[in-house]
């Protein structure tokens, strides 16, 4: 959370004021303002009201009285806006989140968690007129891209990269990519090895299990991209190989059943193969409703509780809406099997 010295520095910069100007307007020395921003000294209490007015913020913000949301409070709030999306509508949840962020304007963890959730929910709940929301999200990501917390900063930058890439602003995307930090030291791996040496085997296993899940996810992403490029270049044999490999990896590492159909479905849709697409969907969509407990596999016995089943069910709802409205899937919609499958899923 931001401290008073950080607030003074950031608000001053936002207003394009120099330390000299602040000092002159408050009747103090420039070194005094410099020390305030470094956190080595603090403004005299009699100067606080004038300083707040000068920075165009209230006293609560200046003194950090409204930035003390705990991680659990933030988590509970995100769960609350998710409930509003499901039971009311996205627009209400969006405004609720923005109001909360305005209430705690210097709590970047709140902004990060709420905006990241809302961005993901655009797809998950098939929200109409998404671009108006993304314009607002982008302004938050720009603010968060200079945050002092590495996780917040790096995710914000990665979202800005995605936005630029999707708009075809490739030079901007590359520039942002080059701002990401690079390190050859794998902190997570070093911790796991350290825990093993200390005989903290449970802690070490949690890390290694997480690494397996992340590794499989990375392989999924790589194979799907390789498949897509093979399709663009009309390398059908390679595309089939990548799809088969994708299915084998998902099955071998005990990921949710529905995921194994992803690659072959993409192939069938790209080829406008109606019978193949419907055959895959008839297995994939019901599988998205099935419960998945990673702890049932020996590879993930230390993994904490997951809401993967709830998430996949929401994805199924969104995907069904896309199937019924997106032109990409129009080649399937005229047949009885498709309509029956949609009725089955909607019920």
């Amino acid at each position: 959370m931001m401290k008073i010295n950080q607030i003074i520095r950031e608000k001053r910069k936002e207003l394009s004021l120099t330390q000299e100007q602040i000092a002159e307007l408050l009747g103090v020395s420039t070194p005094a303002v410099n020390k305030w921003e470094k956190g080595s000294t603090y403004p005299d209490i009699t100067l606080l009201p004038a300083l707040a007015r000068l920075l165009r913020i209230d006293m609560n913000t200046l003194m950090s009285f409204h930035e003390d949301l705990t991680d659990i409070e933030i988590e509970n709030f995100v769960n609350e806006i998710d409930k509003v999306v499901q039971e009311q509508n996205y627009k209400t949840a969006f405004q609720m989140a923005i109001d909360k962020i305005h209430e705690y304007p210097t709590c970047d963890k709140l902004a990060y968690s709420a905006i990241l959730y809302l961005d993901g929910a655009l797809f998950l709940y098939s929200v109409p007129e998404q671009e108006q929301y993304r314009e607002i999200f982008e302004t938050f990501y720009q603010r968060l891209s200079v945050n002092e917390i590495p996780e917040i900063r790096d995710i914000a930058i990665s979202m800005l990269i995605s936005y630029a890439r999707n708009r075809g602003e490739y030079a901007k995307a590359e520039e942002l990519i080059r701002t990401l930090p690079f390190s050859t030291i794998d902190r997570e791996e070093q911790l796991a090895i350290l825990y093993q040496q200390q005989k903290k085997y449970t802690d070490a296993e949690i890390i290694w299990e997480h690494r397996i899940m992340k590794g499989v996810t990375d392989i999924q992403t790589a194979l799907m991209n390789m498949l897509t490029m093979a399709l663009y270049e009309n390398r059908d044999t390679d595309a089939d190989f990548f799809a088969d490999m994708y299915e084998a990896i998902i099955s071998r590492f005990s990921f949710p059943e529905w995921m194994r159909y992803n690659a072959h479905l993409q192939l069938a849709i790209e080829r406008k193969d109606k019978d193949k697409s419907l055959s895959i969907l008839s297995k994939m969509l019901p599988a998205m409703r099935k419960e998945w407990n990673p702890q049932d596999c020996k590879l993930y016995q230390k993994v904490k509780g997951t809401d993967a089943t709830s998430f996949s069910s929401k994805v199924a709802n969104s995907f069904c809406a896309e199937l019924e409205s997106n032109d990409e899937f129009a080649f399937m919609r005229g047949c009885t099997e498709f309509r029956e499958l949609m009725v089955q899923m909607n019920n």
Side-chain angles (χ1 to χ4, degrees):
M1 292 185 289
M2 292 174 62
K3 305 300 182 185
I4 186 172
N5 63 303
Q6 297 171 309
I7 293 170
I8 295 172
R9 181 175 65 248
E10 293 200 6
K11 295 299 178 182
R12 173 181 64 78
K13 290 182 177 180
E14 286 177 14
L15 295 169
S16 299
L17 293 170
T18 64
Q19 291 183 346
E20 289 79 6
Q21 289 172 316
I22 293 286
E24 182 178 354
L25 290 167
L26 292 177
V28 297
S29 68
T30 300
V33 177
N34 183 266
K35 288 179 181 179
W36 296 348
E37 294 191 0
K38 287 182 176 178
S40 53
T41 63
Y42 295 94
D44 187 277
I45 192 169
T46 59
L47 291 172
L48 293 178
L51 178 57
R53 287 192 294 270
L54 181 58
L55 298 176
R56 299 180 187 175
I57 55 178
D58 57 35
M59 286 285 287
N60 285 331
T61 300
L62 179 62
M63 299 302 293
S64 309
F65 290 149
H66 283 318
E67 63 170 11
D68 55 348
L69 281 179
T70 64
D71 288 348
I72 190 65
E73 286 175 322
I74 293 171
E75 181 181 345
N76 289 339
F77 177 70
V78 172
N79 290 336
E80 189 178 347
I81 58 177
D82 178 54
K83 186 177 180 181
V84 171
V85 171
Q86 295 184 61
E87 297 181 356
Q88 298 182 44
N89 56 68
Y90 184 90
K91 185 177 181 180
T92 301
F94 170 82
Q95 192 57 54
M96 177 179 163
I98 296 299
D99 290 344
K100 192 76 165 181
I101 291 170
H102 287 162
E103 184 181 352
Y104 296 87
T106 58
C107 186
D108 281 356
K109 280 189 177 181
L110 169 65
Y112 165 77
S113 300
I115 296 302
L116 205 59
Y117 163 78
L118 287 168
D119 202 343
L122 285 176
F123 164 76
L124 200 56
Y125 296 102
S126 301
V127 178
E129 301 178 356
Q130 298 185 4
E131 198 54 41
Q132 60 175 319
Y133 297 108
R134 290 203 173 100
E135 289 178 5
I136 297 172
F137 297 159
E138 190 165 10
T139 63
F140 279 103
Y141 291 138
Q142 288 167 349
R143 165 185 146 190
L144 296 170
S145 67
V146 294
N147 191 271
E148 295 179 351
I149 301 174
E151 178 190 0
I152 293 178
R153 181 188 63 238
D154 295 349
I155 293 295
I157 293 174
S158 72
M159 294 304 295
L160 290 173
I161 291 168
S162 177
Y163 275 36
R165 190 173 58 229
N166 291 337
R167 286 196 298 263
E169 298 174 357
Y170 301 124
K172 181 178 179 180
E174 182 172 350
E175 181 183 348
L176 287 165
I177 289 170
R178 294 187 182 280
T179 68
L180 290 170
F182 174 79
S183 174
T184 57
I185 299 173
D186 189 321
R187 182 177 62 180
E188 195 176 50
E189 180 179 297
Q190 293 298 319
L191 276 173
I193 293 171
L194 175 64
Y195 291 151
Q196 282 181 232
Q197 291 179 338
Q198 294 175 301
K199 293 185 168 49
K200 296 180 179 179
Y201 296 130
T202 297
D203 292 334
E205 281 186 274
I206 289 171
I207 293 177
W208 292 128
E209 288 183 3
H210 173 261
R211 291 300 291 269
I212 291 171
M213 297 186 83
K214 183 180 182 302
V216 175
T217 302
D218 289 344
I219 293 171
Q220 281 181 269
T221 302
L223 286 170
M224 287 297 279
N225 279 285
M226 293 168 75
L227 183 153
T228 300
M229 289 186 287
L231 286 173
Y232 287 156
E233 296 180 342
N234 297 315
R235 293 184 284 118
D236 287 349
T237 302
D238 288 348
D240 288 330
F241 171 80
F242 296 139
D244 289 342
M245 184 62 70
Y246 184 101
E247 182 176 354
I249 290 291
I250 297 301
S251 300
R252 192 70 185 88
F253 284 89
S254 302
F255 267 44
E257 178 191 340
W258 68 270
M259 289 185 178
R260 70 181 65 169
Y261 304 113
N262 277 336
H264 281 295
L265 179 63
Q266 180 171 329
L267 280 182
I269 290 172
E270 183 68 25
R271 293 166 176 168
K272 296 292 187 289
D273 186 332
K274 182 177 65 177
D275 292 339
K276 183 71 171 177
S277 297
L278 288 170
S279 174
I280 294 172
L281 285 170
S282 67
K283 293 178 285 189
M284 178 178 177
L285 291 174
M288 295 174 88
R289 307 289 196 202
K290 292 181 180 178
E291 185 175 358
W292 179 63
N293 295 309
Q295 296 86 354
D296 292 341
C297 175
K298 291 185 183 294
L299 287 171
Y300 317 119
Q301 291 182 327
K302 299 293 190 300
V303 172
K304 295 181 180 179
T306 173
D307 61 352
T309 303
S310 173
F311 175 77
S312 65
S313 185
K314 293 174 184 176
V315 171
N317 294 336
S318 178
F319 188 33
C320 285
E322 286 285 306
L323 287 168
E324 293 183 293
S325 62
N326 196 308
D327 290 343
E328 182 183 6
F329 310 115
F331 70 96
M332 289 185 282
R333 287 200 285 267
C335 64
T336 303
E337 293 91 334
F338 178 84
R339 291 194 294 272
E340 289 176 347
L341 181 59
M342 291 299 100
V343 169
Q344 176 189 342
M345 291 303 296
N346 289 330
N347 290 336

